[in-house]
Amino acid sequence: MIDSILLQFMLIGLLGIGSQWAAWRFRLPAIVLMSIAGLLAGPIFGLIHPEQDFGAVYRPIIAMAVAIILFEGSLNLDFKEVKGLGRPVVRIVTLGAFISWILGAFAAHYVAGLSWAVAFVIAGLFIVTGPTVILPLLRQAKLKARPAKILKWEGIIVDPIGALLAVFAFEFIRFILSDEVGIISLLSFFLASLFAILLGWACGRGVGWMFEMGYVPEYLKSPVVFTVVIACFTIADEVTHETGLLAVTAMGMTLANLHIPSISDMRHFKENISLLLISTIFIMLTASLTLDTLFQILNIQIMGFVLLMLFVVRPLSIWISTIGTDLTKPEKLLVGWIAPRGIVALTVSSYFASVLLDEGYEDANLLISITFALVFSTVVAHGFSIQWLAKKMNLSMEGPPGVLINGSSTFTVTLAKTLKELKVPVMIIDSSWERLMSARRAGVPTYHGEILSEQTEYTMDMTPFEYLIAASELDSYNALICTTFVPTFGRNNLYQLSLRNQSGDNLEGLVHSIGGRILFEEGASWEKLNQLAGEGYKFRKTNITSKYTFKDYMNNKNEGAILLLIKRPSGKIDFFTEEFATKAEQGDVVVSLMPPDKERDKIQTRLEEQRNETEQS
């Protein structure tokens, strides 16, 4: 075992973020890799045991991390987003949660062999899915907007409800079975829950008011928010255990619906913090398990309980609760299957295991084993199946990476038409109906709106698009668009056209630091490209083969040609830029802008047709 606490923290961070990177690189569920990494570092090889080594600070660290993660997730719960989803979401988080609780308690009693008291406590906890596991899966699966929003809202809203339900079940059982606990104790629990909601609302309104009135400078806004979140969670949790989760959820939802620009500006920073916390906390939890806990999972009763929760309790609760809603059968099937459990279930179950054991319920020693069995099983089963099932149900936006182009012009319309011919999803967005007319006449998908507006964020689904080209008439506006969408697309997938060289806005130094990559070769400005497209320059698609290599293509191409992009067989697109010289390989398609040399055009077309026929034969 590693004795140094500092080295343990380093290893936990490396394993957590390393798992996230490997998941991105190899398109695997991140939560699965984190679970495996934690098990290898903890109970299997014995390198670390955070719960034992960190001592008294272990649980507070976990608790505060869960509070911040839940707050960050609830900041995305804008009521504008739930338009059209209200009834299904409300039914799932109320009736669906209640059905899941009752069915789960019966399964825990009759199959897992738990007493009724322990069964109802743990079943309340198991209605939780939560943002720590749902949000990474949604990013991975690229679901259509409707089922993705339903799963996100359910995960974030039910997270505190599940913990509170477990507390309520415990208090109610104590009320029934104990002579010392009266109705006042039960009433105090409901009052504490109401206090937590009001506290969260007040904290959210207070922070919002301070920001709007300018009482907090920009550089202090993120620290202030996080300090208030921890204070809100701690105060509520000290009043009644687990109500802190309800308080931070209420605070996040309050801030999300105030629509304060400062909160929106900080959202990406908070997402990064949340990702770091999810990665490290999940490693800490799995690494703190023991081999005895893992061996208990192989118990036939525990395995039977997990199977019932996977294939009966969850699907049945969703199916019954959504009767009479407008959810389609594929949507019900997908939502009824996807319910991974995560950090909240693991942390709260360990708390109740100790409390119930103190109350004399000996079967509570199985709680951690049952919880981890369900967490790991659901994470693996749902993590590896969500993409496959979404595709089968036609609920996935999976496909070749698409290109979103802001700004309709002669050049961008022809470029979009060429991409469409290459089977690349493409869309042009512009705030002018007049400029979009040529795109609609060319059969190119369009969206009328301002790309930076809040309305566009709610009404336009950007899931199919992995590349963004800012191609308006203003360099500064293009740079602003690229900078705004860095967290969404990643800096490497953001491009912009230069309006002019060494003139106009003359933002050369600015766009290199905060904008997107400047497309194509030096001198290929917005004005020049549109001028050439208007003069009859052709967009030519050339197949690179074993007999006609990229070197041959470069030797034979017209001197006036401008190289635009390379489409790979995988669907990936590499754009030519001023600072990045890409090369085509066999099987790639090179798109370029060629001069309108009619005779050369005919010869080139005939040569390409002959090469294609030879390759096919």
Side-chain angles (χ1 to χ4, degrees):
M1 179 180 287
I2 298 175
D3 294 328
S4 170
I5 298 296
L6 188 59
L7 285 177
Q8 288 198 39
F9 270 117
M10 180 202 73
L11 182 59
I12 289 169
L14 288 175
L15 290 175
I17 299 303
S19 298
Q20 292 279 2
W21 178 86
W24 164 79
R25 182 66 179 82
F26 300 107
R27 294 185 175 273
L28 295 172
I31 209 79
V32 175
L33 297 185
M34 286 189 288
S35 299
I36 295 173
L39 290 176
L40 290 174
I44 295 178
F45 292 116
L47 297 176
I48 56 175
H49 194 286
E51 185 173 15
Q52 175 183 312
D53 298 334
F54 296 170
V57 300
Y58 174 78
R59 292 192 181 280
I61 289 174
I62 299 289
M64 286 191 292
V66 172
I68 293 171
I69 292 166
L70 197 56
F71 168 75
E72 191 278 323
S74 62
L75 273 180
N76 296 313
L77 297 183
D78 193 320
F79 291 126
K80 288 184 178 180
E81 185 181 303
V82 82
K83 287 181 179 178
L85 299 175
R87 193 176 182 190
V89 169
V90 171
R91 294 277 292 275
I92 288 172
V93 301
T94 53
L95 179 59
F98 178 76
I99 294 171
S100 180
W101 179 39
I102 299 301
L103 292 179
F106 274 82
H109 177 70
Y110 287 110
V111 179
L114 300 180
S115 62
W116 279 115
V118 178
F120 270 100
V121 170
I122 200 65
L125 183 59
F126 284 166
I127 71 170
V128 167
T129 55
T132 59
V133 282
I134 280 293
L135 297 183
L137 284 188
L138 295 182
R139 282 194 294 267
Q140 166 205 342
K142 293 187 177 181
L143 295 182
K144 288 184 177 178
R146 182 179 167 93
K149 289 178 181 178
I150 290 174
L151 287 170
K152 182 180 79 173
W153 273 79
E154 181 205 6
I156 295 173
I157 293 175
V158 171
D159 219 27
I161 291 177
L164 287 174
L165 198 55
V167 175
F168 165 74
F170 175 68
E171 294 290 345
F172 189 71
I173 290 163
R174 291 180 64 201
F175 168 67
I176 294 175
L177 301 180
S178 176
D179 296 332
E180 300 177 0
V181 180
I183 195 169
I184 295 178
S185 176
L186 196 61
L187 182 61
S188 67
F189 165 72
F190 288 107
L191 291 176
S193 299
L194 179 61
F195 168 75
I197 294 174
L198 292 175
L199 177 64
W201 175 84
C203 289
R205 295 290 299 187
V207 169
W209 177 77
M210 290 176 66
F211 284 7
E212 287 183 315
M213 298 300 293
Y215 291 143
V216 180
E218 289 297 324
Y219 73 94
L220 276 181
K221 285 183 176 179
S222 290
V224 165
V225 167
F226 280 113
T227 302
V228 175
V229 167
I230 293 172
C232 180
F233 169 79
T234 304
I235 293 170
D237 214 57
E238 287 295 317
V239 172
T240 297
H241 199 67
E242 300 308 329
T243 58
L245 298 179
L246 190 63
V248 294
T249 302
M251 178 180 170
M253 291 180 67
T254 302
L255 282 171
N257 289 277
L258 290 177
H259 302 114
I260 301 172
S262 300
I263 300 298
S264 299
D265 294 342
M266 288 190 295
R267 181 171 291 147
H268 299 305
F269 169 72
K270 291 190 291 293
E271 286 175 355
N272 292 335
I273 294 295
S274 180
L275 180 65
L276 179 63
L277 290 175
I278 289 172
S279 304
T280 54
I281 297 306
F282 214 84
I283 295 292
M284 288 174 63
L285 286 171
T286 51
S288 296
L289 297 172
T290 63
L291 287 175
D292 290 339
T293 301
L294 298 182
F295 287 135
Q296 280 183 335
I297 292 172
L298 301 177
N299 185 304
I300 190 68
Q301 291 177 300
I302 293 179
M303 293 173 67
F305 170 74
V306 169
L307 291 175
L308 270 179
M309 294 294 291
L310 278 170
F311 295 102
V312 178
V313 173
R314 169 67 178 186
L316 198 58
S317 63
I318 294 297
W319 198 268
I320 294 174
S321 65
T322 54
I323 292 175
T325 66
D326 59 349
L327 287 187
T328 63
K329 287 183 179 179
E331 287 173 336
K332 288 183 180 181
L333 182 62
L334 181 69
V335 175
W337 170 243
I338 302 301
R341 277 67 169 189
I343 288 176
V344 172
L346 280 174
T347 54
V348 181
S349 68
S350 62
Y351 162 75
F352 278 111
S354 60
V355 171
L356 288 167
L357 283 171
D358 292 341
E359 293 288 326
Y361 296 98
E362 295 183 2
D363 54 334
N365 62 1
L366 293 174
L367 286 189
I368 297 177
S369 299
I370 292 175
T371 304
F372 184 74
L374 186 63
V375 168
F376 191 74
S377 299
T378 54
V379 160
V380 172
H382 300 155
F384 281 107
S385 65
I386 185 170
Q387 281 184 308
W388 175 84
L389 184 60
K391 289 179 182 178
K392 286 289 184 183
M393 298 292 102
N394 195 29
L395 295 174
S396 173
M397 301 298 293
E398 191 69 27
V403 180
L404 181 63
I405 302 174
N406 182 77
S408 181
S409 64
T410 304
F411 172 77
T412 57
V413 169
T414 316
L415 174 63
K417 187 176 178 181
T418 305
L419 289 169
K420 186 180 176 184
E421 292 169 356
L422 290 171
K423 309 298 183 185
V424 175
V426 64
M427 178 178 287
I428 293 180
I429 177 172
D430 202 300
S431 58
S432 168
W433 280 111
E434 184 178 354
R435 288 195 294 266
L436 285 175
M437 286 179 62
S438 58
R440 293 198 299 273
R441 284 196 297 265
V444 174
T446 61
Y447 179 90
H448 177 253
E450 167 55 55
I451 192 170
L452 296 178
S453 76
E454 186 179 345
Q455 185 66 25
T456 300
E457 179 183 351
Y458 293 121
T459 58
M460 181 182 177
D461 182 17
M462 295 189 182
T463 305
F465 307 109
E466 291 192 16
Y467 308 97
L468 171 63
I469 297 176
S472 75
E473 301 178 14
L474 290 173
D475 276 328
S476 51
Y477 180 54
N478 292 338
L480 177 61
I481 291 172
C482 290
T483 303
T484 301
F485 284 97
V486 165
T488 305
F489 290 89
R491 194 172 297 278
N492 290 336
N493 292 338
L494 290 166
Y495 302 90
Q496 66 183 88
L497 291 181
S498 175
L499 181 63
R500 301 178 183 87
N501 282 334
Q502 308 303 327
S503 59
D505 290 342
N506 195 22
L507 299 178
E508 185 177 356
L510 177 64
V511 297
H512 279 294
S513 60
I514 66 170
R517 296 181 176 187
I518 303 299
L519 278 172
F520 316 133
E521 63 187 40
E522 186 176 353
S525 64
W526 182 93
E527 284 186 334
K528 180 178 178 180
L529 291 170
N530 278 285
Q531 178 184 347
L532 297 178
E535 292 176 354
Y537 269 58
K538 303 291 184 182
F539 281 74
R540 181 168 298 284
K541 304 183 289 289
T542 304
N543 294 306
I544 302 301
T545 67
S546 58
K547 297 181 179 179
Y548 189 72
T549 65
F550 185 64
K551 185 177 181 180
D552 296 331
Y553 171 80
M554 293 297 290
N555 291 333
N556 295 333
K557 76 177 181 69
N558 191 294
E559 290 183 3
I562 298 176
L563 300 178
L564 303 180
L565 61 95
I566 299 173
K567 180 179 181 290
R568 311 290 185 184
S570 62
K572 180 184 177 184
I573 297 174
D574 286 330
F575 290 93
F576 289 94
T577 64
E578 289 186 1
E579 70 275 9
F580 181 67
T582 185
K583 294 183 179 180
E585 306 292 341
Q586 182 178 341
D588 295 341
V589 179
V590 179
V591 178
S592 56
L593 191 62
M594 291 283 192
D597 188 331
K598 295 183 179 180
E599 196 60 37
R600 183 185 180 89
D601 207 44
K602 291 179 181 178
I603 296 172
Q604 188 75 12
T605 301
R606 191 158 54 247
L607 288 173
E608 288 186 12
E609 289 175 352
Q610 290 174 357
R611 282 199 303 271
N612 292 336
E613 289 174 0
T614 302
E615 287 293 322
Q616 292 173 0
S617 60

